[in-house]
Amino acid sequence: MTVMDTPRTGARGSDFAKLSRRIAQAGLLDKRPGYYAVRIGLVAGLFAGSWAVFAAIGDSWWQLPIAALLAVAFAQVTLLAHDLAHGQISRSRRTSRIAGLVAGNLAVGLSYGWWMDKHTRHHANPNHEDHDPDVSPDILVWSEKQAGHSRGIARFIGRRQAFLFFPLLTLEGINLKVSSFRALRRPSLKGRGLEGALLSAHVLAYLGAVFLVLPLPKALLFLVVHQACYGVYLGCTFAPNHKGMPVLTAEDELDYLRRQVLTSRNVRGGRLINTALGGLNFQIEHHLFPNMPTANLRKAQPIVREYCESLGVAYVECGLIESWRQALRHLHEVGRPLREVRT
């Protein structure tokens, strides 16, 4: 499937407005304070409980499973920060920002302001090779055009990037922290002083706790396991959403509805998948209505799917393992030109 196989804009420019009215009439854009109160309580309990168990166990190799458990807690806090950034939890921007700084900067060491800016640009142009920061050619290449222009480490890794994808995810947690501190140099980042203070407080508290409880060898291994599991968890949460879906270029002229639906993929699953992925398995609905509370995405799905089918717009969904397979296959295919180059 290619983007060019789908209808263009024009008379269909009001398609999203019609869908939006249906969604609003169903009350699916209304806030869900009760749901988020329970979810925040559970995630906060998991986060605090993981650290409490860490402190109680002390100097022991049993800390390695706790490192994995803490990675799950960090990922769930990150998913809550994601919902805060979209205004899903509170209508107040000030409240969302304060809570986002606590969850992102202080709790997990992720710059809320930097990530919010990056993610907003992603939502505006999902899977666009020129405008979406999530498919910019950094370490990996996401299109044959990017492969052709790649240099250095991206060119080297691009040849076997499908096989290296999961190993590279083990570094994603560190990459997010490094990117967060780098963002502090940008004058455009709002409240750089506060963001920097909270990020520094996180690093000092995090490393201080680990090295206070564990001797050096165990502490270092704990950090490796924790950050690796955290990075893989986040990667496995976000990768199924768009990787392997059509990559847009400047030649693709699509309206809002088609731009969001055709570049997104839903992941089938029950309550476990919904919880593990923070509701992002309903990626199509989330991209169409970013401020919709996570709990309402499942209810919106049949409305959106039926509407897309009535328009002849492809609505893609598959299982979690299949979504990873499609993403890896795409990475392998776009890296083909690099493997065919004679060296």
Side-chain angles (χ1 to χ4, degrees):
M1 179 187 69
T2 65
V3 173
M4 302 309 295
D5 294 331
T6 63
R8 295 285 186 133
T9 54
R12 297 179 177 272
S14 62
D15 285 340
F16 175 71
K18 297 175 183 177
L19 173 62
S20 184
R21 283 195 292 269
R22 294 187 188 182
I23 293 295
Q25 289 170 0
L28 297 178
L29 297 179
D30 296 343
K31 300 302 178 188
R32 296 287 301 272
Y35 161 78
Y36 275 111
V38 172
R39 182 175 166 190
I40 291 172
L42 291 174
V43 172
L46 175 63
F47 186 83
S50 298
W51 280 117
V53 173
F54 169 82
I57 291 178
D59 182 3
S60 169
W61 288 110
W62 285 106
Q63 292 286 17
L64 297 185
I66 302 305
L69 176 64
L70 195 60
V72 174
F74 268 50
Q76 287 295 320
V77 172
T78 303
L79 290 170
L80 272 178
H82 166 272
D83 289 10
L84 284 164
H86 281 297
Q88 295 177 19
I89 300 178
S90 171
R91 289 187 174 87
S92 169
R93 291 188 178 183
R94 183 173 183 272
T95 299
S96 296
R97 174 171 168 76
I98 292 173
L101 288 171
V102 172
N105 295 58
L106 186 60
V108 298
L110 172 66
S111 169
Y112 178 75
W114 164 75
W115 186 85
M116 185 176 180
D117 172 72
K118 175 177 178 287
H119 197 61
T120 298
R121 288 185 285 122
H122 157 71
H123 267 264
N125 291 283
N127 257 27
H128 194 293
E129 65 179 5
D130 297 321
H131 303 304
D132 183 356
D134 287 353
V135 292
S136 60
D138 186 9
I139 298 298
L140 302 176
V141 294
W142 305 101
S143 69
E144 291 191 7
K145 176 184 175 182
Q146 290 180 354
H149 290 88
S150 64
R151 297 291 183 271
I153 190 171
R155 190 172 186 84
F156 175 77
I157 291 179
R159 296 171 183 171
R160 296 290 183 269
Q161 59 183 12
F163 300 99
L164 296 173
F165 181 68
F166 283 105
L168 287 172
L169 285 182
T170 62
L171 303 174
E172 182 59 19
I174 299 297
N175 176 55
L176 291 175
K177 286 179 171 55
V178 172
S179 297
S180 294
F181 275 99
R182 284 180 175 174
L184 297 176
R185 297 179 297 182
R186 301 178 185 174
S188 60
L189 182 65
K190 181 181 178 181
R192 286 188 294 168
L194 177 59
E195 290 235 6
L198 292 174
L199 286 173
S200 299
H202 164 80
V203 172
L204 291 174
Y206 173 64
L207 294 180
V210 173
F211 285 104
L212 180 65
V213 171
L214 298 175
L216 184 61
K218 290 177 183 175
L220 293 176
L221 189 55
F222 180 93
L223 294 174
V224 168
V225 172
H226 176 238
Q227 291 300 322
C229 290
Y230 176 49
V232 171
Y233 191 136
L234 287 183
C236 290
T237 298
F238 289 98
N241 303 336
H242 304 283
K243 310 314 179 191
M245 298 302 291
V247 176
L248 305 183
T249 68
E251 297 178 357
D252 297 309
E253 300 176 6
L254 301 175
D255 64 358
Y256 176 80
L257 184 143
R258 288 164 179 78
R259 187 166 68 249
Q260 303 299 336
V261 174
L262 295 174
T263 59
S264 303
R265 176 198 296 111
N266 275 14
V267 176
R268 298 191 190 97
R271 183 170 298 179
L272 178 61
I273 293 295
N274 294 351
T275 301
L277 302 187
L280 295 182
N281 45 309
F282 299 107
Q283 188 67 193
I284 294 174
E285 289 71 28
H286 170 59
H287 258 258
L288 287 170
F289 304 98
N291 63 339
M292 180 183 290
T294 296
N296 290 344
L297 295 173
R298 176 179 57 84
K299 299 177 181 179
Q301 184 185 33
I303 300 174
V304 173
R305 180 167 51 197
E306 179 183 356
Y307 187 73
C308 289
E309 290 174 353
S310 72
L311 295 176
V313 176
Y315 182 100
V316 178
E317 56 182 338
C318 63
L320 182 61
I321 303 301
E322 174 61 18
S323 71
W324 292 341
R325 189 185 69 80
Q326 291 180 17
L328 293 176
R329 182 175 61 188
H330 172 75
L331 286 172
H332 189 65
E333 286 300 315
V334 299
R336 183 184 301 277
L338 298 178
R339 294 192 298 275
E340 294 176 346
V341 173
R342 294 180 179 273
T343 57

